[in-house]
Amino acid sequence: AVVHFGGVSVEGPFGPILQANIIGMYNLYEAARKQGTQRIIFASSNHATGFYKQSETITPLANPRPDGNYGVSKAFGEDISRFYFDRYGIETACLRIGSCFPEPIDRRMLASWLSFGDLYRLLTACLTTPVLGHSIIYGMSKNSVTWWDNWPANHIGYVAQDSADSYREALYAKTSAPNLAD
């Protein structure tokens, strides 16, 4: 298996994102096909669906709505991984990672936070499940407030154990409310 967390990891000019995230993704899948790799875990991003409103709850089956060049590159990665699954049978988990930090740093992360421990559990589930297929899964902890219904993660046996909820009071005390129109 290949665990692919490489590339440009933030919004920026299209040129570097094109080279690393789009052409790099094509090269990864071609190399995997030629070498007979059976499974890839792809670090996609919640930015592939960043233009949904915070008032909406979506599943990984929602159409991509990228919020920038970075999000476009992640939507492309999800599409090319689907193509290589359909044509060549390379199983892939596209992990739409929320905010993976040691702890949430703002109110937005109360909904999007993924602990390091839950990231490890998610990767382990993706690598050890007998049948992965082509799966799009939100990388998120067990936060009581979220924008994502992550039921497609059930088939791989991923169960989040951590939650941003224990950080709520401290974050409310030191940060302002997010702009819900953003």
Side-chain angles (χ1 to χ4, degrees):
V2 172
V3 178
H4 175 49
F5 274 55
V8 175
S9 63
V10 294
E11 181 59 29
F14 188 68
I17 290 172
L18 170 67
Q19 290 300 313
N21 295 15
I22 294 178
I23 295 172
M25 192 70 164
Y26 169 78
N27 290 335
L28 168 72
Y29 272 90
E30 268 301 287
R33 179 186 66 78
K34 290 176 182 176
Q35 293 299 313
T37 301
Q38 298 298 306
R39 187 171 288 189
I40 295 176
I41 313 306
F42 165 51
S44 186
S45 171
N46 69 94
H47 291 280
T49 56
F51 265 123
Y52 284 93
K53 296 178 190 233
Q54 292 182 30
S55 60
E56 298 177 82
T57 301
I58 62 172
T59 75
L61 302 178
N63 289 325
R65 291 182 65 190
D67 59 9
N69 294 327
Y70 173 69
V72 166
S73 76
K74 295 304 182 173
F76 172 83
E78 292 179 6
D79 283 346
I80 200 165
S81 70
R82 182 69 209 209
F83 168 70
Y84 274 81
F85 174 68
D86 289 342
R87 179 161 285 177
Y88 304 109
I90 299 173
E91 292 187 307
T92 299
C94 300
L95 306 181
R96 287 182 179 164
I97 297 171
S99 306
C100 193
F101 288 79
E103 61 184 55
I105 60 172
D106 59 26
R107 291 186 188 194
R108 179 186 175 278
M109 287 189 192
L110 291 171
S112 65
W113 186 60
L114 173 66
S115 72
F116 290 168
D118 282 338
L119 173 60
Y120 174 80
R121 285 181 273 281
L122 179 56
L123 290 171
T124 300
C126 290
L127 291 168
T128 60
T129 188
V131 178
L132 180 61
H134 182 268
S135 301
I136 299 175
I137 298 167
Y138 278 97
M140 57 187 275
S141 287
K142 192 171 125 180
N143 309 319
S144 63
V145 174
T146 186
W147 306 308
W148 310 309
D149 179 348
N150 209 24
W151 66 264
N154 294 342
H155 83 283
I156 65 165
Y158 170 61
V159 178
Q161 295 180 12
D162 300 323
S163 172
D165 298 348
S166 61
Y167 300 96
R168 183 173 313 284
E169 285 185 37
L171 286 172
Y172 271 59
K174 70 179 184 179
T175 62
S176 59
N179 178 356
L180 295 180
D182 183 1

